[in-house]
Amino acid sequence: EMRTRGGGNSEHDDNDGGSEEGNLEGRLTWHGGAELGPTYKGYLRKQCFECGYAPPLRSHHCKVCNRCVATFDHHCFFINTCIGERNHCRFLVYCAAQAAACWVAVSIINSGHVQAKHIPASSTWLEKNGMVIVSSLFVWPLALFSTVMFIIHSFLAISNTTTFEVSGGSDNIDYLKGTKECDLPFSKGLDGNMKLFCCARDKAWSYVTGDTESKWTPIVWRAPKRIVRDSEDWWEHPWENKYWSCC
């Protein structure tokens, strides 16, 4: 049995999903009451034939790891593991550390550049700066890549979404059917999203609180029923509200 620990920025059913009556009504309506038809009933995805059970909403079966991963983001080949509910926060810290280290390396390499006026006549500019050029060609792409990764996953953190959901979209992911890019159906506002991302979800938080004995259960996300696109509360709806839309 899984307990609910989080939810979205839209309206949800408060039942626990343990019976047919307890499941969601399965209707997705926008602000104004326009119904878009049935969506998801309950808090589970379809049966995973590889694992033999229906995983929670937002889970996905990783073909590399051959297991279902809660709040799946992506499989990272650099660290050879899946990024999901229990380690996404630490992956963001990892991206920040990698970006910082790469830019420090860029600074060190640039300090080795020798200006033409300081090169003796017996040497050439290429002889003095050849190693700087080679090193720059190696480190600069890594610095740019790690910085982009940090920016992307920072956005995913503050919007409570994942790489899998952003790249798949409503056309390819069943529980997102009927949603648009800026709807962010699982968002709980900027502060709520960061609290979930850094505290409630990541395993490392249990070592901070000292609660290492409790058995972990994945967050049982609730399917959205209503998404407000013209709210006056821009803090809770930063990407799309009455005043602006990022999409």
Side-chain angles (χ1 to χ4, degrees):
E1 183 181 356
M2 300 177 181
R3 63 177 183 270
T4 300
R5 295 176 54 196
N9 197 36
S10 49
E11 294 183 4
H12 302 85
D13 196 317
D14 291 330
N15 294 315
D16 61 6
S19 64
E20 182 66 21
E21 293 76 18
N23 288 342
L24 294 178
E25 292 295 330
R27 288 192 173 277
L28 183 62
T29 58
W30 305 119
H31 193 273
E35 300 211 357
L36 298 181
T39 53
Y40 242 79
K41 289 186 177 181
Y43 304 149
L44 303 177
R45 296 201 68 183
K46 296 177 181 178
Q47 181 82 4
C48 176
F49 295 102
E50 295 291 335
C51 296
Y53 59 85
L57 227 59
R58 307 189 76 186
S59 300
H60 183 67
H61 186 87
C62 176
K63 295 181 180 179
V64 180
C65 295
N66 194 31
R67 68 182 66 180
C68 285
V69 179
T71 318
F72 177 81
D73 188 86
H74 73 286
H75 182 90
C76 180
F77 290 96
F78 288 100
I79 58 179
N80 194 32
T81 191
C82 278
I83 306 303
E85 186 171 301
R86 301 203 76 189
N87 63 356
H88 201 171
C89 180
R90 281 172 288 162
F91 182 76
L92 177 62
V93 175
Y94 167 77
C95 290
Q98 289 293 316
C102 286
W103 287 115
V104 169
V106 167
S107 176
I108 294 173
I109 291 171
N110 290 341
S111 68
H113 176 263
V114 181
Q115 296 182 3
K117 62 182 181 180
H118 297 145
I119 299 176
S122 58
S123 299
T124 63
W125 182 90
L126 186 60
E127 288 177 340
K128 292 295 184 180
N129 294 289
M131 185 58 67
V132 172
I133 296 174
V134 173
S135 301
S136 296
L137 291 174
F138 176 75
V139 175
W140 267 94
L142 292 178
L144 294 174
F145 176 76
S146 58
T147 302
V148 170
M149 287 290 290
F150 173 71
I151 294 173
I152 290 175
H153 285 275
S154 295
F155 165 76
L156 297 177
I158 63 178
S159 60
N160 195 10
T161 187
T162 63
T163 302
F164 172 69
E165 293 169 344
V166 172
S167 59
S170 59
D171 293 334
N172 301 304
I173 301 177
D174 43 17
Y175 60 85
L176 293 180
K177 294 296 183 182
T179 61
K180 295 171 62 176
E181 291 180 355
C182 282
D183 287 336
L184 303 176
F186 300 101
S187 176
K188 294 178 69 67
L190 293 174
D191 51 345
N193 291 340
M194 290 308 299
K195 182 179 179 180
L196 270 174
F197 186 82
C198 298
C199 304
R201 285 167 49 177
D202 201 282
K203 180 183 178 181
W205 184 250
S206 62
Y207 294 99
V208 176
T209 60
D211 184 19
T212 58
E213 301 298 327
S214 298
K215 183 179 179 181
W216 172 79
T217 56
I219 295 175
V220 183
W221 300 99
R222 302 183 180 189
K225 292 181 62 180
R226 177 183 292 269
I227 296 176
V228 181
R229 289 175 174 164
D230 58 355
S231 172
E232 295 183 356
D233 188 353
W234 59 266
W235 178 261
E236 294 293 331
H237 305 266
W239 312 111
E240 186 173 30
N241 51 60
K242 180 179 179 180
Y243 309 105
W244 66 76
S245 174
C246 297
C247 300

